[in-house]
């Protein structure tokens, strides 16, 4: 977010969610068990990449709307995949 007065930029405020410290290890463990990880997020692509990198997630989609997340789950299920979803509680 930008802060301005009379059209002049005064500063920026950056807000970010914190990832649980255990998330990267959990992703690594799931992958070692053969689980494919796909992160679907409504975040901006640069934010999504930073989160994915920190969590050791190699496949992600950014700027995904809630209805599009649901559609992705349905598509994966239609392919015969077993799908589980973790939801951020913010």
């Amino acid at each position: 977010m930008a802060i301005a007065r009379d059209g002049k930029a005064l500063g920026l405020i950056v807000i970010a969610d914190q990832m649980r410290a255990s998330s990267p290890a959990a992703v690594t463990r799931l992958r070692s068990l053969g689980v494919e990880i796909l992160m679907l997020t409504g975040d901006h692509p640069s934010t999504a990449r930073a989160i994915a990198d920190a969590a050791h997630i190699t496949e992600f989609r950014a700027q995904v709307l809630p209805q599009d997340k649901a559609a992705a789950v349905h598509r994966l299920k239609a392919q015969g995949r077993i799908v589980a979803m973790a939801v951020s509680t913010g």
Side-chain angles (χ1 to χ4, degrees), residues 4-90:
R5 182 184 317 151
D6 298 325
K8 182 179 176 184
L10 300 175
L12 297 173
I13 297 175
V14 178
I15 300 172
D17 292 330
Q18 293 294 313
M19 181 184 344
R20 289 193 173 133
S22 60
S23 293
V27 169
T28 299
R29 176 74 175 130
L30 288 168
R31 191 173 290 112
S32 76
L33 296 171
V35 176
E36 294 179 44
I37 308 293
L38 168 62
M39 182 177 80
L40 302 174
T41 179
D43 290 331
H44 185 275
S46 61
T47 301
R49 172 155 310 282
I51 293 167
D53 287 348
H56 308 294
I57 297 171
T58 56
E59 189 176 356
F60 69 91
R61 306 285 182 274
Q63 295 180 321
V64 181
L65 298 173
Q67 63 270 24
D68 296 330
K69 292 176 187 179
V73 168
H74 291 294
R75 274 193 309 275
L76 292 167
K77 285 184 171 185
Q79 294 171 5
R81 296 181 182 212
I82 298 170
V83 178
M85 188 170 188
V87 180
S88 170
T89 58

